[in-house]
Amino acid sequence: MPETTRRTDRLPGNRYGNRPTMKDVAARAGVGLKTVSRVVNGEPGVTPETERRVQEAIEALGFRRNDSARVLRKGRTASIGLVLEDLADPFYGPLSRAVEEVARAHGALLINGSSAEDADREQELVLALCARRVDGLVVIPAGDDHRYLEPEVKAGVATVFVDRPAGHIKADVVVSDNFGGARDGVRHLIAHGHRRIGFIGDMPRIHTAAERLRGYRTAMEDAGIPVADSWMSLGATTPERVRRAAEEMLSGPEPVTAIFTGNNRVTVTVIRVLAGHARRVALVGFDDIELADLLEPGLTVVAQDAAALGRTAAERLFRQLDGTLLTPERIEIPTRLIARGSGELPPAD
Amino acid sequence: MPETTRRTDRLPGNRYGNRPTMKDVAARAGVGLKTVSRVVNGEPGVTPETERRVQEAIEALGFRRNDSARVLRKGRTASIGLVLEDLADPFYGPLSRAVEEVARAHGALLINGSSAEDADREQELVLALCARRVDGLVVIPAGDDHRYLEPEVKAGVATVFVDRPAGHIKADVVVSDNFGGARDGVRHLIAHGHRRIGFIGDMPRIHTAAERLRGYRTAMEDAGIPVADSWMSLGATTPERVRRAAEEMLSGPEPVTAIFTGNNRVTVTVIRVLAGHARRVALVGFDDIELADLLEPGLTVVAQDAAALGRTAAERLFRQLDGTLLTPERIEIPTRLIARGSGELPPAD
DNA sequence: TAGAGCCTGGACAACGTTGTCAGGCCGGGG
DNA sequence: CCCCGGCCTGACAACGTTGTCCAGGCTCTA
């Protein structure tokens, strides 16, 4: 039986297109299997002459080591998983990139998936990644119960949560200072003379949204300003609802003179509303936006450092893997107020 | 010897944290190994009662199938690789997301990496992905020679290039209609009365940049407008150089009355330059930008459909894997001119 | 009641790699 | 001349899973 048909007659077509293996290389080079392994992995103890023969065979056959098999043997995959909400969201781009850079520095690849803000899909993804035996996970939680991860963590999968805290599980968490950032943003408006300030944000069941709301309330309270219910809109998820909420708080008996927006999607919609509005209304938004400086007026924002979030999380993950790191911690990344004009407009009644 | 120490005394600490295997599950449930496999994979031929016992053992031990081993046995990894230039670039967000959605629909995971526009790094990444035995690759080329991929393609790795064509290799390519889009954009300016139109773009060795330049030249030629050398700036990679290029073509003896920008990074910089410029200059940019409609004037763009690029590429990839698709093809995704004001300004001398 | 056929379960090999270990060869020293 | 030590090399088992194949027990029918 000719060597080339060795495999095709056993299994149907599900092989890796009949790729050459170390065995094939060994046969061609006339050496033992282990010698090929040594050459491929740069291990010492191979004569230059032997090495040359092996290299030639590798070249000729187009051999490439099968890392699946390697992983099976060695126990480490040199890959980490990243589960986020939506790869297409501009906030997550720099974050992924930062995680990737750190992974690369540690010789690891990045596998990622979008949960689409759906808890079940998050779990499905995370477990699929665990089945691949990723060495670690960076998760931006969609759900609020992560007990399903317990066996994995116990089994040694390094885990770090980013952007939002995890639910019912002890693990590293890296978040922005949502509370402080929002408070500072609202204080900024108060400092510029505003008292009737509106807040439009996401559903409070999302941790970041709740924290930002708390920042708003605290700033108002500290300034001794009672907050009218009509000034707050929570759960503004669609542009349509944001638009309606903004228009409501801009009309009515006690119209707001300034608005604080809880995330960049909301901010964008509110900018559109204000663009078609006669009275000048001050605006500060959570999250920076590209071209914010080119708007008229420039958009004042509370900027998060997405790259720092990702970098910090990934670094902690690899420290867990090193064994350098033991006790789970909560790390807060500071935000930065960037004044560009829209937040410095005086109240216009 | 107690069962729990079974492995630790053999190998040092490089195991998967001593995870339970099917063998462990089988032992605990008092059944055979293959029976566990059957339950885990939902294969028929297991009594409900046996299945229950197995499920219980799985639950109790926190067992999770090791896909590395599975892959080794089955030959398909159910994962595809995506190599792009920079995850943080807003253009690639929707593209990745689209690829991911298609992968998900086919039950595959997405592994991705950024080449940082570096050919060596691209190759390194691609080969690492091949070593993991991804089923297929979606590559946004950084280099222009992809012969290194030949053994892989021959070995059955489905491959699709996106955004730019591949070099020296036969493979599917999905690109935007860069030529037509740029031509239409410049025609739009001509139609609004401009004759002295500048072009600022990337290095012509990048395929997309060259095509867009060709579109510009063709539109000008078709209109019978001779192009002055000082109207064209190629290789504008840094904001600083873009700024200088723009300022040069706006001053001088024959200043341009309109500018066509070759990509979104250039566009953004030019907007900044024009914002500080007295004379009103028309502008059309290649690539859409978030909030483009909120600028004053609104930014007219030639928009690419990044999601369509990604989706189309991924779909072809899976058709390759199905065996439905055989001959490599070049697919062009149309662009769309979106007029928002900046491109409709009349020439102001 | 015996035989045929079906259903369930398990033993075993194989996937491609790496760690362990032992054997062969060579040169130098006793 | 023999023995020892060091250096290369290769045989073999193991990683955890799945496909193949066979055995045993059951039911159903003649």
Side-chain angles (χ1 to χ4, degrees), chain A residues 209-339:
Chain A
E211 283 292 291
R212 293 170 196 174
L213 175 59
R214 195 163 67 82
Y216 163 79
R217 282 179 181 283
T218 302
M220 295 296 268
E221 205 168 295
D222 288 354
I225 307 174
V227 174
D229 274 354
S230 64
W231 294 353
M232 289 181 301
S233 160
L234 315 177
T237 42
T238 64
E240 198 30 62
R241 292 179 64 176
V242 172
R243 176 175 294 275
R244 212 169 326 128
E247 270 158 6
E248 266 167 32
M249 57 181 71
L250 286 171
S251 55
E254 280 211 306
V256 299
T257 62
I259 298 180
F260 184 85
T261 48
N263 67 48
N264 52 8
R265 290 187 308 279
V266 172
T267 306
V268 169
T269 306
V270 170
I271 293 173
R272 295 214 163 90
V273 172
L274 294 185
H277 200 78
R279 189 156 45 83
R280 297 272 271 182
V281 175
L283 174 64
V284 173
F286 207 104
D287 277 350
D288 203 1
I289 290 181
E290 218 192 354
L291 298 194
D293 59 317
L294 290 178
L295 299 174
E296 186 47 49
L299 177 69
T300 296
V301 298
V302 176
Q304 297 189 72
D305 192 342
L309 280 171
R311 197 182 330 113
T312 309
E315 274 163 3
R316 283 195 75 82
L317 188 137
F318 282 102
R319 282 180 56 202
Q320 282 183 35
L321 289 174
D322 288 352
T324 329
L325 199 61
L326 293 167
T327 43
E329 220 173 305
R330 176 199 171 91
I331 299 181
E332 237 170 48
I333 306 285
T335 56
R336 197 160 55 93
L337 184 86
I338 305 178

Side-chain angles (χ1 to χ4, degrees), chain A residues 13 48 116 129 207 221:
Chain A
L129 291 166
H207 176 263
E221 205 168 295

Side-chain angles (χ1 to χ4, degrees), chain A residues 22 34 37 41 63 66 70 73:
Chain A
M22 286 194 177
K34 180 65 209 196
S37 170
N41 294 295
F63 167 80
N66 184 334
R70 175 169 220 250
R73 190 63 235 260

Side-chain angles (χ1 to χ4, degrees), chain A residues 56-272:
Chain A
E56 258 179 38
I58 289 177
E59 203 75 14
L61 295 173
F63 167 80
R64 194 94 58 203
R65 180 179 65 197
N66 184 334
D67 275 0
S68 290
R70 175 169 220 250
V71 155
L72 179 60
R73 190 63 235 260
K74 305 202 68 149
R76 277 281 167 99
T77 57
S79 55
I80 68 174
L82 170 62
V83 177
L84 37 71
E85 193 227 313
D86 182 358
L87 261 177
D89 185 320
F91 176 69
Y92 294 115
L95 196 153
S96 319
R97 181 64 196 275
V99 172
E100 190 204 342
E101 285 303 330
V102 177
R104 183 178 141 82
H106 286 81
L109 283 180
L110 185 63
I111 310 184
N112 49 21
S114 306
S115 67
E117 200 69 81
D118 175 54
D120 291 338
R121 192 158 154 185
E122 173 206 304
Q123 176 167 352
E124 183 193 318
L125 256 170
V126 165
L127 292 183
L129 291 166
C130 288
R132 307 268 154 138
R133 295 297 186 266
V134 291
D135 297 335
L137 281 169
V138 175
V139 180
I140 293 164
D144 47 10
D145 185 353
H146 296 87
R147 270 172 291 188
Y148 70 87
L149 258 170
E150 257 169 29
E152 313 300 329
V153 170
K154 222 171 266 167
V157 180
T159 309
V160 181
F161 292 87
V162 190
D163 193 39
R164 309 168 190 174
H168 306 103
I169 194 168
K170 257 200 145 97
D172 274 323
V173 175
V174 180
V175 290
S176 279
D177 180 11
N178 291 293
F179 167 73
R183 192 194 47 197
D184 293 351
V186 175
R187 275 189 187 159
H188 186 74
L189 289 168
I190 294 171
H192 281 82
H194 294 272
R195 292 186 60 81
R196 297 201 307 275
I197 302 173
F199 176 94
I200 308 182
D202 220 324
M203 293 159 296
R205 69 166 182 77
I206 297 181
H207 176 263
T208 52
E211 283 292 291
R212 293 170 196 174
L213 175 59
R214 195 163 67 82
Y216 163 79
R217 282 179 181 283
T218 302
M220 295 296 268
E221 205 168 295
D222 288 354
I225 307 174
V227 174
D229 274 354
S230 64
W231 294 353
M232 289 181 301
S233 160
L234 315 177
T237 42
T238 64
E240 198 30 62
R241 292 179 64 176
V242 172
R243 176 175 294 275
R244 212 169 326 128
E247 270 158 6
E248 266 167 32
M249 57 181 71
L250 286 171
S251 55
E254 280 211 306
V256 299
T257 62
I259 298 180
F260 184 85
T261 48
N263 67 48
N264 52 8
R265 290 187 308 279
V266 172
T267 306
V268 169
T269 306
V270 170
I271 293 173
R272 295 214 163 90

